[in-house]
Amino acid sequence: MQRRQTPKQPLQVHRKKQTDLSAWRKGGRIDPEKSVQNHQSPNNQKNDSKQDSLEQALSYFEKVQDRVSLKKNNVLQKHLTTVESIALQRGLPPEGFDVLLNVALSGKLSDTVNTRLLKSLIPASVIPETSVVSSVSWLCVSKCSSNIQLLFLRWLITVFDFIDHKERLHALYGFFFSFLQDEKMCPYVCHLLYLLTRKENVKPFRIRRLLDLQAKMGMQSHLQALLSLYKLFCPELVTITLPGKTKTYFKDSEGPWKATINTVRQRKQENSLVSQPLFLGTAQPQSRKRKWNTQLIIPASSTNKNNLEEDREKQRVDFYGTNESFPVEQLQTFSQLLQNIHHLEFPSQMGSVLTNPLLLHYMNCIKDESIYLRLYYWMGQTLQEECTWYVADNKQYEEFKDFLETVYKAECFLQEGFSSCEEFLYKSLPLWDGFCCRSQILRLVSWIPLSSFSEMKSHLYDPLAQLFFTSSLYFKCSVLESLKELLQNWLNWHIIHLDSESDSQAHSLNTTLSGLVNVVAELIDFVGWISTVALRLENNPTFLLYFILDFYETVCDMYLRYNLPLLIMPPAGVFYPALLSMDSVSLNQLCYIMYRYRTNLVAAKENELSKKKILQFKFSSQTYQEYNQYIIAMVGCLWTSSAFQKDIHPQGLCMDDELLKKTTVQEFKTSFNIVYHPAMMGYAVLFLQQAWPDDTTFNFSLIKGKKWNWYLEYLYAQGLKGLKVFIESSINRVSQASHSKA
Amino acid sequence: MSAMESVDGAVRTLPSIGRLSRGLLSRGLLFGGVHGRVGLSPSSRLLPPAPPSQENVDSQKTTFLLRKQWTLYSVTPLYRFSDTHLKDYARLLSAFIAAEKQKGLAVEIGVELGIKVAISSLPDLRGSDRDQAAILVQLSSRSPASPKNSEEKVIWSGWFCSVSGDDFSENVPEDFTCLPLFLANGAESYTSIVGSWFQKTFDCCFRRLAISPLNLSWMAAMWTGCKVDKTASAMELVFSVPHLPQPLDISYAIHPEDAKALWDTVQKTPGEITQEEVDVFMDCLYSHFHRHFKIRLSATKLVKVSTAIASAHCDGIIKFLQSQYLTGVLMLLTELAISQIQ
């Protein structure tokens, strides 16, 4: 203790330094003034600087001198506020307790400061035993006021479970016991002793002392509590009869910390994507207003083994027949999981796996129907009970949102949707307003398992379409995004099961390849339909088009990337708006997609021709036909300036020359080639400026022949990679084909 | 019950048998289809087989279930529950209750505690051999002052049961025990402790089981058709008028014989009831009421049905009144509980 009290430079010196601005810059060691400067910096919001300011505050309190007045000392005020705000927000790190307890119990500062310090001792993780032991020695020298002593004891009771070890604390049992003589401290000391007492602590002299106290103070519930515990351990030593029923032995044990500790813990759990396993299984904030079992609590992982070992009189019941299973509470690290995987048991409530990534790993390895069934029942009931648009209660909204988020994270972790979640979505989507928990619900949609095909339309597509058409552009994009993820999840599922199919028939889904193809086709058709309608409703915004084309980027590659014998072309309602888009991004994206379609179709054709395998599935000639129609339109537009003549798609651009003349547009033939296309004209202008810096007439017709190729190189250099691969693959071929035709 | 107590605006009528003529019945048909068909209720239900004579059922064992208010819960299948361990469960539950009652204090298992827990099996309460036998949990208190063998007072009881729930239980793996219906009588704090223990120990999930107006009208129709003693009390339907600043309940009491006479004209096939018949029955009652009071009950919400067989409240509270119809009522409730957990 003395070490900490060694005098440091007098504060006046620091004050002087403060006037010298350069002083704190030069000074290598952290001094209080510096921390104030930093504390006031605009970066205060950042975590790093928070960490810094906490460190500085701690180092200030480590060195603080006697009798610093709070009112007069800004530095102290700042540091105190820092400690308080950080404690409230995320709790204090283990190393902070030593410093703060020492200063608070040493009586160096005023009681106001000490009280505030003690009140902010919220643990972020654990409290080191050493800091508690040294505080007890402070308590013994009585440097602090009795109020502070009481507050410390109450704090110790509240945070008892957060102390990392308790052996040395147990060694101080006698010290604590001696505090019993203090009348004010007695109730709290009793409570603390109640937490500490082991059988070996029960001694005749202690019992006598307690009985003396009881004789002196009367029947006090806290003394009774301790006596009854003593009696429980050593019935032969405590012969008095104690009243059997006592409602509360200890009053006001939670102090000002409990609520904050819970909030900090909850926040911490929310923040970490893969949250740590709870190291305390019990404390969950409970709202008192709601009826039993209507609150959303993800149970903590706890072993379902009842403490029957000590009960020797009665025959031991081992419900699970496993004597040596590794308790899930102790499972903290991945290596522990690996070492104990053979005798690990799932927690008593399967719901707790959701917040425990290690158990999710384990769940991934175990193929046991009952695991999924237990989770299914729990999750299904919880989702229905808590769904905020079933039960109108705004207070639950955040809770429910967090729960959905947790479910989604677990699904991502397992790479698999939960069937209870699927059922919940089917039941609740028709009643959904499209607003409540939007991103959570839509993300859960992306994990709908690929199991039931026929119901997809009425359960998912119909309610989703209704919301889609009546909601904002942003909602439309979100839906498209989640349907893209749904498609990708299905395709991933397919490719994984394709690999494992040969060695096991394990997956119970009776999904044949044709079944799968049908479901996927259904989804793509649905997206094609809503996209067409949405583009017309919203008047072709680039933003929406981006999400639509993004979906088709997955669709166009299904054959090669996912080994699925299915290719579906986008509908004309998507293709033409993209082709005639005002934006080069969309056009470039379309070019890339068409290139991938070509690659996939060519590969499929080659496979078909080589007949290496007997092909169960062939692309219909209609797919090729549609592709060809689109490619003719595209090449006609972008390259050969013949779109209006050659487009043969029924919904295409083909127009009569007479009609086109009536538009009085000159050079209508070329108006959609890579120079004149509204999406490309910007590039053409910049190209002209670079190629003919002196020419200000913007004579686009100059771009031809060799210059045309230069222009192409220029476009490729501008990042239009989609256009590049498209032109390099499709144009030559078509022109060759037209050559050979001619 | 609050519904009964709100006298304000209560309207009562006891139509004489003469008024319920066939003419009324045919007019009642015009109002068909007012009810929204909620949920996945079956369009027809078979009535439970005629109740066995009193001698067959050991009614002594179930009479204590009568004339008490039971709060209904649905329970998902219990994981690794075994009815050979009931005594051990009772011991553990008793320790759990003691621990919950004295939060944070150490408790030794097996030590005499203020509350005694008994868990037993009620083998009579099931539809067929394929149903799991009902499980009864009783908490009784003994006062610490009185000697050990003094009378114990039951302070809370709850029971799990499944009557003709075998369609559901057959599809569940062996590790699970299906007792989808749970009924509790006593302080909710005990329901909470006992329920939490079962949830923790057998990884199941309790949920309050509300009864929809549609299902209440089913009960009204089904129970009207049952035979009881002549001294049977009136059938009473309580309706609540929605969207009012003050709660307004309408109580509609019908002489049981009148109701039975009406039902007999509605029901076509004995032993079976269809949704259509239930609708017709209720519509007849509604149109009769409308003729007298110009109030359309179809626009209100049916919240309570009381008959000589049982009474049921939409909040999920039931009172059994006739032991020979106990299993019949439980069968319907089991069905509702299963539909809530599936």
Side-chain angles (χ1 to χ4, degrees):
Chain A
M1 291 330 126
Q2 280 307 306
R3 185 175 50 83
R4 301 195 187 285
Q5 287 169 8
T6 37
K8 296 273 148 45
Q9 283 172 293
L11 271 169
Q12 277 97 344
V13 179
H14 285 292
R15 290 243 166 79
K16 265 186 194 166
K17 270 189 180 173
Q18 198 176 22
T19 56
D20 176 10
L21 275 174
S22 61
W24 63 269
R25 282 197 204 114
K26 286 182 219 156
R29 63 177 270 274
I30 303 161
D31 64 26
E33 274 71 29
K34 182 180 172 182
S35 78
V36 176
Q37 300 275 0
N38 277 358
H39 190 72
Q40 287 163 338
S41 74
N43 290 340
N44 195 22
Q45 299 299 318
K46 282 193 176 176
N47 260 357
D48 281 354
S49 72
K50 261 192 184 166
Q51 193 64 44
D52 285 352
S53 54
L54 180 65
E55 270 169 26
Q56 283 151 15
L58 289 178
S59 99
Y60 170 82
F61 281 116
E62 201 171 2
K63 293 158 193 162
V64 71
Q65 294 303 301
D66 280 5
R67 288 181 293 281
V68 178
S69 154
L70 181 64
K71 276 179 194 161
K72 289 171 195 163
N73 192 317
N74 288 334
V75 186
L76 174 60
Q77 277 177 22
K78 289 286 176 200
H79 287 313
L80 192 56
T81 325
T82 307
V83 170
E84 279 175 332
S85 73
I86 289 176
L88 280 180
Q89 212 175 354
R90 43 192 183 127
L92 298 175
E95 59 273 18
F97 289 92
D98 204 25
V99 177
L100 296 177
L101 279 168
N102 272 321
V103 71
L105 298 174
S106 63
K108 275 195 261 182
L109 301 170
S110 69
D111 267 12
T112 329
V113 180
N114 293 337
T115 308
R116 282 173 65 181
L117 281 176
L118 279 175
K119 283 189 176 171
S120 47
L121 290 179
I122 306 295
S125 54
V126 292
I127 298 168
E129 185 188 23
T130 48
S131 63
V132 179
V133 171
S134 69
S135 340
V136 175
S137 59
W138 276 115
L139 223 57
C140 293
V141 297
S142 308
K143 285 258 184 180
C144 54
S145 70
S146 65
N147 281 339
I148 295 300
Q149 287 180 340
L150 288 184
L151 193 63
F152 168 74
L153 285 175
R154 288 173 63 200
W155 173 79
L156 194 54
I157 292 162
T158 315
V159 300
F160 189 77
D161 289 333
F162 288 87
I163 301 170
D164 55 358
H165 298 100
K166 301 205 176 70
E167 277 316 303
R168 291 174 60 197
L169 207 56
H170 272 290
L172 297 176
Y173 193 90
F175 283 91
F176 287 117
F177 198 87
S178 71
F179 291 139
L180 279 175
Q181 63 197 3
D182 185 313
E183 213 167 306
K184 269 189 185 168
M185 272 158 74
C186 182
Y188 300 108
V189 172
C190 275
H191 195 165
L192 190 64
L193 290 171
Y194 193 94
L195 298 172
L196 277 173
T197 303
R198 292 172 180 172
K199 195 169 179 178
E200 62 267 25
N201 297 125
V202 184
K203 297 279 184 306
F205 74 89
R206 289 202 174 119
I207 297 167
R208 271 198 302 278
R209 179 93 191 104
L210 285 178
L211 290 174
D212 283 352
L213 277 173
Q214 180 153 307
K216 199 174 99 190
M217 300 202 276
M219 293 276 270
Q220 300 287 340
S221 62
H222 46 269
L223 287 172
Q224 277 175 25
L226 198 54
L227 274 169
S228 67
L229 188 67
Y230 279 22
K231 190 174 179 174
L232 195 67
F233 282 127
C234 303
E236 69 284 359
L237 292 179
V238 187
T239 47
I240 56 155
T241 40
L242 292 159
K245 257 187 169 176
T246 310
K247 278 208 164 170
T248 44
Y249 283 132
F250 306 111
K251 286 165 204 160
D252 184 33
S253 52
E254 299 200 335
W257 302 276
K258 194 78 176 187
T260 322
I261 290 174
N262 284 335
T263 325
V264 166
R265 272 189 56 200
Q266 217 180 11
R267 196 176 293 146
K268 204 178 154 196
Q269 230 184 332
E270 284 162 9
N271 288 348
S272 56
L273 182 80
V274 179
S275 55
Q276 291 296 310
L278 301 171
F279 78 93
L280 274 180
T282 46
Q284 285 271 3
Q286 299 237 358
S287 68
R288 282 156 208 91
K289 285 177 197 164
R290 299 174 58 189
K291 284 201 161 181
W292 170 62
N293 225 20
T294 55
Q295 197 192 7
L296 210 171
I297 297 175
I298 299 177
S301 318
S302 64
T303 315
N304 192 1
K305 242 179 118 183
N306 298 288
N307 298 329
L308 294 172
E309 281 93 336
E310 288 164 30
D311 193 4
R312 286 176 209 125
E313 292 165 32
K314 297 186 181 158
Q315 162 199 344
R316 203 190 140 169
V317 185
D318 193 356
F319 304 142
Y320 302 95
T322 42
N323 290 327
E324 302 168 71
S325 63
F326 186 80
V328 280
E329 292 92 336
Q330 285 177 27
L331 186 67
Q332 302 277 340
T333 63
F334 192 72
S335 57
Q336 274 180 326
L337 174 71
L338 293 182
Q339 278 159 20
N340 298 292
I341 202 153
H342 57 289
H343 59 137
L344 197 63
E345 191 183 287
F346 275 108
S348 60
Q349 286 172 285
M350 274 306 288
S352 63
V353 300
L354 284 192
T355 50
N356 192 327
L358 293 172
L359 289 177
L360 285 175
H361 272 303
Y362 183 47
M363 198 174 149
N364 236 347
C365 316
I366 305 291
K367 295 276 170 246
D368 178 358
E369 194 191 357
S370 65
I371 293 166
Y372 286 88
L373 204 57
R374 286 161 69 189
L375 197 58
Y376 165 85
Y377 285 127
W378 174 77
M379 198 186 287
Q381 298 295 295
T382 312
L383 283 168
Q384 281 184 50
E385 188 69 51
E386 297 301 322
C387 181
T388 33
W389 53 99
Y390 286 170
V391 192
D393 181 354
N394 284 331
K395 284 171 203 159
Q396 289 165 250
Y397 178 75
E398 287 298 322
E399 270 178 21
F400 183 60
K401 203 168 121 181
D402 292 345
F403 180 67
L404 294 181
E405 197 73 42
T406 310
V407 172
Y408 171 72
K409 280 177 193 161
E411 288 188 326
C412 290
F413 193 95
L414 293 171
Q415 289 288 299
E416 183 175 13
F418 297 117
S419 50
S420 48
C421 198
E422 177 194 10
E423 279 171 20
F424 163 73
L425 287 172
Y426 290 163
K427 277 186 198 166
S428 60
L429 277 178
L431 306 169
W432 187 38
D433 59 0
F435 182 76
C436 180
C437 308
R438 175 194 288 172
S439 68
Q440 286 74 23
I441 292 288
L442 287 178
R443 285 156 86 183
L444 286 174
V445 163
S446 72
W447 280 112
I448 286 181
L450 177 69
S451 52
S452 46
F453 331 122
S454 50
E455 292 140 5
M456 231 39 184
K457 185 175 156 23
S458 59
H459 284 135
L460 178 66
Y461 300 149
D462 289 352
L464 213 51
Q466 266 188 359
L467 285 166
F468 182 85
F469 294 135
T470 53
S471 299
S472 68
L473 176 65
Y474 179 72
F475 181 83
K476 291 187 174 83
C477 295
S478 313
V479 169
L480 288 166
E481 171 82 7
S482 90
L483 291 177
K484 182 198 78 180
E485 267 153 32
L486 177 66
L487 176 67
Q488 283 176 344
N489 287 334
W490 285 358
L491 294 171
N492 283 330
W493 180 88
H494 162 68
I495 199 107
I496 289 163
H497 285 82
L498 208 63
D499 289 345
S500 61
E501 207 160 25
S502 49
D503 47 75
S504 77
Q505 298 280 320
H507 57 102
S508 56
L509 299 169
N510 52 353
T511 43
T512 57
L513 187 57
S514 69
L516 175 82
V517 167
N518 287 339
V519 188
V520 171
E522 227 173 72
L523 172 63
I524 296 170
D525 288 340
F526 172 70
V527 173
W529 172 62
I530 59 170
S531 301
T532 305
V533 179
L535 282 170
R536 292 183 63 177
L537 279 173
E538 302 284 347
N539 208 8
N540 306 331
T542 310
F543 192 54
L544 180 63
L545 203 52
Y546 173 79
F547 281 90
I548 296 169
L549 294 176
D550 197 34
F551 180 83
Y552 280 99
E553 267 188 45
T554 303
V555 175
C556 67
D557 240 356
M558 288 191 303
Y559 180 74
L560 285 177
R561 277 184 65 187
Y562 299 97
N563 215 349
L564 190 75
L566 177 70
L567 279 182
I568 294 177
M569 300 302 297
V574 168
F575 174 79
Y576 284 101
L579 178 61
L580 305 178
S581 156
M582 303 290 281
D583 202 289
S584 61
V585 175
S586 308
L587 185 64
N588 185 54
Q589 226 178 338
L590 179 71
C591 287
Y592 175 75
I593 289 168
M594 292 307 285
Y595 158 71
R596 289 309 302 173
Y597 270 119
R598 184 194 142 81
T599 317
N600 279 261
L601 286 168
V602 168
K605 199 86 185 168
E606 276 168 4
N607 265 347
E608 224 174 286
L609 291 175
S610 67
K611 282 180 186 167
K612 277 177 191 159
K613 296 180 254 178
I614 301 155
L615 292 171
Q616 197 187 347
F617 294 92
K618 281 198 285 187
F619 293 141
S620 69
S621 57
Q622 202 199 332
T623 311
Y624 289 100
Q625 199 188 330
E626 268 181 323
Y627 170 80
N628 284 332
Q629 285 175 346
Y630 283 156
I631 209 77
I632 288 167
M634 255 178 113
V635 173
C637 264
L638 301 174
W639 199 259
T640 59
S641 306
S642 55
F644 300 114
Q645 289 83 45
K646 289 205 171 158
D647 193 339
I648 51 168
H649 194 282
Q651 286 160 274
L653 296 173
C654 187
M655 265 181 256
D656 202 32
D657 270 4
E658 292 302 313
L659 187 67
L660 286 163
K661 272 173 194 158
K662 279 182 193 161
T663 62
T664 67
V665 176
Q666 293 177 338
E667 303 290 338
F668 57 81
K669 280 187 180 174
T670 57
S671 53
F672 286 110
N673 74 17
I674 51 170
V675 176
Y676 291 93
H677 193 293
M680 306 301 288
M681 200 179 268
Y683 291 106
V685 169
L686 290 170
F687 176 74
L688 284 178
Q689 279 175 344
Q690 285 182 26
W692 294 275
D694 307 328
D695 190 352
T696 52
T697 57
F698 293 126
N699 188 357
F700 291 118
S701 57
L702 289 173
I703 305 175
K704 61 183 173 192
K706 212 184 248 176
K707 302 284 190 324
W708 180 272
N709 289 336
W710 289 2
Y711 177 59
L712 275 182
E713 289 303 323
Y714 173 78
L715 290 179
Y716 300 162
Q718 296 299 307
L720 298 176
K721 303 288 182 219
L723 186 74
K724 181 172 192 272
V725 288
F726 173 76
I727 289 176
E728 284 174 0
S729 64
S730 305
I731 301 290
N732 287 339
R733 190 170 179 266
V734 171
S735 58
Q736 275 165 12
S738 60
H739 273 300
S740 59
K741 263 187 198 169
Chain B
M1 284 217 301
S2 60
M4 297 289 286
E5 281 159 11
S6 63
V7 191
D8 295 37
V11 187
R12 284 173 182 272
T13 176
L14 280 168
S16 74
I17 195 157
R19 282 188 195 153
L20 275 171
S21 62
R22 285 206 160 260
L24 170 68
L25 189 65
S26 57
R27 279 180 62 192
L29 280 166
L30 296 172
F31 295 94
V34 196
H35 279 287
R37 291 181 192 192
V38 229
L40 299 161
S41 232
S43 58
S44 85
R45 284 185 171 102
L46 289 174
L47 281 174
S53 52
Q54 290 283 57
E55 291 85 341
N56 282 358
V57 175
D58 192 352
S59 61
Q60 204 57 25
K61 280 186 183 166
T62 50
T63 39
F64 72 96
L65 302 174
L66 302 182
R67 282 174 289 278
K68 276 194 186 108
Q69 272 196 17
W70 298 100
T71 308
L72 302 173
Y73 292 84
S74 66
V75 188
T76 60
L78 310 175
Y79 179 64
R80 291 191 172 170
F81 173 87
S82 156
D83 48 13
T84 55
H85 287 308
L86 295 185
K87 275 192 179 157
D88 300 306
Y89 295 155
R91 214 155 40 81
L92 292 170
L93 177 55
S94 138
F96 183 77
I97 292 170
E100 285 291 309
K101 296 289 280 181
Q102 337 180 355
K103 277 235 164 71
L105 304 189
V107 164
E108 198 177 31
I109 295 173
V111 166
E112 289 290 300
L113 297 154
I115 290 166
K116 197 191 158 200
V117 179
I119 302 183
S120 57
S121 164
L122 293 172
D124 295 328
L125 276 182
R126 52 177 153 181
S128 69
D129 291 345
R130 283 175 298 172
D131 282 323
Q132 177 77 27
I135 300 291
L136 173 72
V137 182
Q138 277 184 314
L139 308 188
S140 40
S141 74
R142 66 168 80 87
S143 80
S146 56
K148 243 189 173 181
N149 293 330
S150 73
E151 186 92 342
E152 283 164 357
K153 196 184 157 214
V154 174
I155 50 167
W156 181 92
S157 38
W159 40 298
F160 297 84
C161 79
S162 172
V163 175
S164 304
D166 39 319
D167 281 350
F168 174 58
S169 57
E170 272 165 16
N171 294 321
V172 168
E174 269 183 16
D175 274 344
F176 294 87
T177 303
C178 292
L179 287 165
L181 182 65
F182 179 73
L183 306 94
N185 171 265
E188 206 199 1
S189 58
Y190 286 113
T191 310
S192 154
I193 295 174
V194 175
S196 306
W197 185 79
F198 273 91
Q199 289 193 151
K200 281 193 176 123
T201 315
F202 305 109
D203 206 358
C204 56
C205 203
F206 285 66
R207 249 177 100 197
R208 275 295 290 268
L209 180 64
I211 308 173
S212 69
L214 179 78
N215 285 320
L216 281 177
S217 61
W218 267 92
M219 289 173 182
M222 286 172 107
W223 298 344
T224 302
C226 298
K227 280 179 202 150
V228 277
D229 315 341
K230 275 190 178 173
T231 52
S233 51
M235 168 186 182
E236 191 193 22
L237 304 175
V238 179
F239 297 87
S240 144
V241 183
H243 310 302
L244 287 183
Q246 298 289 320
L248 173 68
D249 284 356
I250 300 170
S251 165
Y252 183 178
I254 304 134
H255 194 281
E257 284 173 19
D258 294 348
K260 178 89 167 66
L262 172 63
W263 176 245
D264 288 343
T265 60
V266 172
Q267 197 191 19
K268 291 166 199 140
T269 330
E272 191 192 352
I273 300 181
T274 65
Q275 177 69 58
E276 197 194 349
E277 288 166 353
V278 174
D279 287 347
V280 171
F281 176 68
M282 294 307 284
D283 287 337
C284 289
L285 294 176
Y286 292 167
S287 59
H288 177 76
F289 196 84
H290 179 245
R291 203 167 57 177
H292 285 273
F293 301 102
K294 300 285 172 270
I295 293 172
R296 291 194 194 280
L297 289 176
S298 52
T300 65
K301 186 187 165 203
L302 180 57
V303 291
K304 197 190 166 192
V305 171
S306 312
T307 71
I309 307 299
S311 80
H313 191 276
C314 65
D315 288 344
I317 294 163
I318 198 135
K319 196 189 269 184
F320 306 100
L321 298 167
Q322 290 285 329
S323 70
Q324 76 263 37
Y325 288 108
L326 189 60
T327 46
V329 176
L330 287 173
M331 192 169 123
L332 178 59
L333 293 174
T334 304
E335 183 197 311
L336 298 182
I338 290 173
S339 76
Q340 179 160 293
I341 57 182
Q342 258 184 330

